């Protein structure tokens, strides 16, 4: 049972796609962990929390390419969680600057 070069070339993209799927899944998980970490650190350090939320947003966006539906849902959840935290910081800092300028 020898395989022809054509059969070998057909198997190779499937293997590369499966290998790439792990990368997207890992990015999805890393984004979710960073989003949860950003919310947990928020009470102690706002700068670290802000940058964790930015990292979570940037890590979760490529995670939307992951193969499984659950991993994509995890990415969407992490995007929403980090986006809400960034919105909270934006409103908070905007209110502080507006208040300070009005004095």
């Amino acid at each position: 049972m020898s395989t022809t070069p054509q059969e070998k070339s057909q198997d190779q993209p499937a293997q590369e796609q499966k290998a790439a799927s792990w990368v997207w899944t890992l990015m999805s998980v890393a984004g979710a962990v960073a989003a949860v970490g950003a919310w947990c650190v928020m009470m102690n350090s706002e700068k670290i929390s802000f940058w964790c939320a930015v990292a979570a947003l940037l890590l979760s966006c490529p995670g939307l390419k992951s193969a499984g539906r659950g991993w994509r849902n995890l990415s969407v959840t992490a995007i929403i969680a980090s986006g809400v935290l960034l919105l909270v910081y934006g409103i908070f800092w905007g209110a502080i600057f507006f208040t300070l300028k009005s004095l």
Side-chain angles (χ1 to χ4, degrees):
M1 294 183 119
S2 65
T3 59
T4 63
Q6 187 178 18
E7 290 174 356
K8 286 182 182 178
S9 66
Q10 289 175 351
D11 284 342
Q12 192 172 13
Q15 291 174 350
E16 289 176 2
Q17 185 179 10
K18 187 175 181 182
S21 174
W22 283 102
V23 173
W24 305 130
T25 302
L26 183 65
M27 303 250 320
S28 175
V29 171
V33 168
V36 170
W39 278 97
C40 291
V41 174
M42 181 176 61
M43 294 296 289
N44 296 327
S45 175
E46 63 183 35
K47 290 180 183 179
I48 294 173
S49 176
F50 176 79
W51 289 112
C52 281
V54 169
L57 190 66
L58 294 176
L59 285 171
S60 296
C61 286
L64 292 172
K65 288 184 169 183
S66 60
R69 182 177 176 188
W71 298 117
R72 283 193 301 267
N73 288 344
L74 183 67
S75 287
V76 169
T77 304
I79 287 170
I80 292 170
S82 60
V84 166
L85 184 59
L86 290 173
L87 185 64
V88 166
Y89 279 129
I91 291 171
F92 182 70
W93 288 331
I96 287 175
F97 287 129
F98 178 74
T99 304
L100 289 177
K101 281 196 167 223
S102 68
L103 292 179

